[in-house]
Amino acid sequence: MRTRNELYQAALRTVSARRQRAKAAAQDARAQAEAAVPELRAAEDALRACGVRCALAGARGAGRAEAAAALAEARQKRDALLAASGRSPQALEPKFTCPLCQDTGVAQGKTCQCVRREMQRLRREEIEAMSSLSVTRFDTMKLDYYPNTRDPQTGRSVRQYMAELLADLQDYAAAFDLDSENLMLTGNAGLGKTHAALAVAGAALDKGYDVIYISSPDFFSRVETLHFGSDPAGEKDALLETVTGADLLILDDLGTEFNSSFVISTLYSLLNDRLGRRRPTILTTNITDGALLEKLYTEKVASRISAFVPYRFLGDDIRLKKAMEE
């Protein structure tokens, strides 16, 4: 995954490339127009000369009216030549993607919104590549996949229970900010935990928050490899800082990683640091037994996770149902 600065630099490169393409296209259009209208280049030169004289007259405070009239006449002649060839003056100007910053990435001395949107797009693309799922919305989660039968533990219809659970998570996503609570989505495999977490991620990204998604086995394996192997570029520290400092962290499939004292220590530090920074975290796990969670990760880790709001997913494996439909 990329750090926020790496994401910013990548977004700037994308915006800069748009500007270069727009300018190149305008140059091609101008070359084609000059080839079709031989008088156009002289008319453009005259227009530029009049523009300079008008600017100088404005600075001196004398002869401004005459200079402005000459500039208007030169522009009219140039526009008439273009019109005769079926072109407009705008056809020779760059067509920038962002009219606010003209694809420079800076508007009114600040990072332009187009750069932030590109950062969101790149992060969304990264999350989808890492999770193999789309960053989607809650309205794509079909309640029909949850059985309309009574759950013995809750005494309620599974479908009705899940409808209320998903509605709560949708409200959480709609109101998401840095003060949002930490969530723990539990339940058997294939019940939509990751899907729901990514729907929250989509809402957070749309609000401009930076979201990091990590798969527990992939993440801890990578950190452990870097820690005990060669890491001359300091990738491990950059990775941990990126994950720790994210506005929203989604730690998916906790409990499927290869467990070790190093993993437990890293998990504890990660959770502890994020709680200290007051950065929301969403955990997903198939572990539904609190005693097993404590046994796997020690009492210290379990005490940190106990601060998370639990959401227990019920039902049957949705992935199997979808496979049977194909």
Side-chain angles (χ1 to χ4, degrees):
M1 78 194 67
R2 285 172 284 196
T3 65
R4 193 174 303 196
N5 183 59
E6 288 171 338
L7 208 66
Y8 173 72
Q9 295 299 330
L12 275 184
R13 288 193 294 272
T14 299
V15 171
S16 177
R18 290 173 185 165
R19 181 174 175 82
Q20 293 304 317
R21 287 195 297 270
K23 292 175 70 174
Q27 289 173 356
D28 290 344
R30 186 175 297 276
Q32 292 173 12
E34 289 178 352
V37 185
E39 305 91 340
L40 180 60
R41 177 170 294 185
E44 288 271 283
D45 291 342
L47 179 59
R48 280 191 289 270
C50 287
V52 171
R53 286 195 290 272
C54 191
L56 291 173
R60 290 194 303 265
R64 286 181 292 185
E66 294 84 352
L71 178 62
E73 183 180 356
R75 181 177 290 111
Q76 190 175 40
K77 288 180 179 179
R78 191 277 311 267
D79 293 353
L81 287 172
L82 287 171
S85 68
R87 294 174 173 84
S88 69
Q90 290 73 30
L92 307 187
E93 299 299 324
K95 295 179 176 60
F96 298 115
T97 302
C98 179
L100 191 61
C101 72
Q102 295 190 330
D103 295 343
T104 63
V106 178
Q108 298 179 343
K110 298 180 180 179
T111 299
C112 186
Q113 296 175 357
C114 68
V115 176
R116 301 187 186 281
R117 287 194 296 269
E118 180 61 16
M119 289 175 68
Q120 293 167 17
R121 187 192 70 78
L122 291 172
R123 187 66 89 191
R124 186 183 297 262
E125 192 176 78
E126 180 180 272
I127 291 171
E128 292 180 345
M130 295 178 70
S131 67
S132 300
L133 291 173
S134 296
V135 176
T136 183
R137 303 181 308 277
F138 281 97
D139 56 15
T140 63
M141 300 186 71
K142 297 180 180 179
L143 289 172
D144 292 347
Y145 286 118
Y146 297 100
N148 195 22
T149 56
R150 179 179 174 275
D151 176 68
Q153 293 183 347
T154 64
R156 302 169 57 195
S157 159
V158 171
R159 185 174 298 169
Q160 182 60 36
Y161 168 89
M162 287 302 301
E164 294 175 10
L165 181 149
L166 294 176
D168 283 348
L169 290 177
Q170 189 168 11
D171 290 341
Y172 174 92
F176 180 84
D177 59 24
L178 296 182
D179 292 324
S180 293
E181 295 178 298
N182 301 300
L183 307 183
M184 184 175 182
L185 313 185
T186 68
N188 295 331
L191 298 183
K193 300 185 298 296
T194 301
H195 191 147
L198 292 181
V200 175
L205 285 169
D206 288 343
K207 290 184 174 188
Y209 293 106
D210 190 33
V211 181
I212 293 292
Y213 167 94
I214 53 176
S215 165
S216 185
D218 293 342
F219 173 73
F220 289 113
S221 174
R222 181 59 181 161
V223 173
E224 194 164 22
T225 299
L226 291 168
H227 179 77
F228 292 106
S230 176
D231 184 21
E235 183 184 343
K236 188 195 85 168
D237 290 342
L239 183 62
L240 289 173
E241 176 57 32
T242 298
V243 170
T244 302
D247 295 332
L248 171 63
L249 171 65
I250 296 174
L251 177 55
D252 197 24
D253 277 339
L254 183 66
T256 59
E257 70 285 338
F258 179 78
N259 211 341
S260 67
S261 58
F262 175 81
V263 168
I264 293 172
S265 174
T266 303
L267 175 60
Y268 174 78
S269 296
L270 173 60
L271 296 177
N272 201 50
D273 287 351
R274 286 193 61 79
L275 286 169
R277 297 190 192 199
R278 297 182 61 84
R279 289 292 186 267
T281 303
I282 298 178
L283 304 179
T284 77
T285 180
N286 295 346
I287 301 172
T288 58
D289 185 343
L292 177 58
L293 192 70
E294 183 174 326
K295 182 179 179 181
L296 284 172
Y297 298 108
T298 74
E299 182 182 355
K300 289 201 307 180
V301 172
S303 70
R304 295 296 181 272
I305 295 178
S306 68
F308 286 53
V309 178
Y311 281 87
R312 175 76 180 273
F313 281 59
L314 301 177
D316 303 321
D317 194 327
I318 294 174
R319 286 174 292 195
L320 291 178
K321 291 183 178 181
K322 288 183 176 180
M324 293 175 63
E325 292 176 354
E326 295 177 357

